[in-house]
Amino acid sequence: MDTQNTPPRFVDDYLLSLLARASYVVSTEFHDRLRARGVSVPVWRVLATLSGGPETVTALAEACLLQQPTMTKVLDRMERDGLVKRQQDARDRRLVRVHLAPRGETMVADLLAAARAHEAEVVARHPDAGAIKDLLRALIARQSQKKRPRGA
């Protein structure tokens, strides 16, 4: 087959495909390291998100790229394993906030160090990663603004 006369595939220049594929190839390295430590990707995402402070289940599901029912199941297991605890919000009793439990705090500290080390390896291989991160943050912020209803 003559590849020089073959037109490029659509997905090879499609932004959404490129973003997904780049995320997949870089994350796979780190996910393998997580699995070697006995930590699933959803548990890692919850721990990493909660390292910034308590969150609602809805906010966690969004940050961790999970549907809310799946997030609830992950949190049930994590609570059973002593990694997180759920508490009613002091100001709005309808809300439940998820906090790191002491065991989760210990685990996340180690995992964040591993994530930072992995990111440093990636950045060393790809010096333009800082600019890419800035661009992705801007893309996320602009898309998030489009989703919000007017006046919100």
Side-chain angles (χ1 to χ4, degrees), residues 37-97:
R37 293 168 180 248
V39 178
S40 71
V41 173
V43 167
W44 151 245
R45 288 178 179 165
V46 170
L47 292 172
T49 302
L50 291 177
S51 71
E55 293 284 356
T56 64
V57 175
T58 301
L60 270 176
E62 186 176 303
C64 296
L65 309 173
L66 294 172
Q67 297 294 318
Q68 194 156 344
T70 304
M71 176 55 65
T72 299
K73 289 176 185 170
V74 169
L75 291 173
D76 287 345
R77 286 190 302 273
M78 291 179 73
E79 194 168 35
R80 182 197 68 218
D81 294 342
L83 299 174
V84 299
K85 56 189 174 187
R86 295 179 230 195
Q87 297 175 332
Q88 275 188 321
D89 185 86
R91 288 175 284 172
D92 184 346
R93 298 186 57 79
R94 295 170 296 177
L95 293 177
V96 173
R97 297 217 179 263

Side-chain angles (χ1 to χ4, degrees), residues 6-7 26 29 36 43 47 56 61 82 84 91 93 100 111 124-125 131 134 145 148:
T6 305
V26 175
E29 291 176 338
V43 167
L47 292 172
T56 64
V84 299
R91 288 175 284 172
R93 298 186 57 79
L100 285 173
L111 293 173
R125 292 189 305 248
D134 290 341
Q145 287 174 349
R148 290 190 191 114

